Amino acid sequence: MSNQNVRNAGFTSSGIREGSIASSMMSQEARASGGGVHSGGPTATLQEMGARGSTHSSGFTSSGISGGSQASHMMSQEAISHGGGVPRGGTTSTVQSI
């Protein structure tokens, strides 16, 4: 995953850009959860990366998720909480797609 992809999606060091994919994600996630965006969810995870200005060493790569990385830990935790699978539209799949 590149820093440019995260910025292009609207996750920036100054916050989520209005009218972007990021703002749409945030809105959808907030509606689905009853009004808030959860820490550790797709929007919060990507915004953290955008605010830092770096996706390096997160483990989300164009070749897939790197073993032993933050991304692999996220994927494992998400799979455990969903009974063994990583759901489409979940944190791991959303971040990996960007």
Side-chain angles (χ1 to χ4, degrees), residues 1-95:
M1 175 170 55
S2 77
N3 294 332
Q4 190 61 45
N5 288 351
V6 172
R7 283 189 299 274
N8 287 346
F11 299 99
T12 72
S13 59
S14 57
I16 291 178
R17 192 173 58 244
E18 184 178 345
S20 66
I21 292 170
S23 67
S24 177
M25 279 180 63
M26 183 174 67
S27 177
Q28 290 175 20
E29 191 176 339
R31 278 193 300 258
S33 67
V37 175
H38 297 290
S39 175
T43 302
T45 300
L46 286 162
Q47 181 52 38
E48 179 184 349
M49 291 177 184
R52 280 194 321 237
S54 177
T55 60
H56 301 296
S57 76
S58 64
F60 293 99
T61 74
S62 59
S63 302
I65 292 176
S66 299
S69 66
Q70 175 190 3
S72 68
H73 177 73
M74 284 176 63
M75 184 174 67
S76 176
Q77 293 302 308
E78 192 170 14
I80 290 167
S81 71
H82 287 91
V86 177
R88 184 176 183 183
T91 302
T92 305
S93 61
T94 301
V95 175

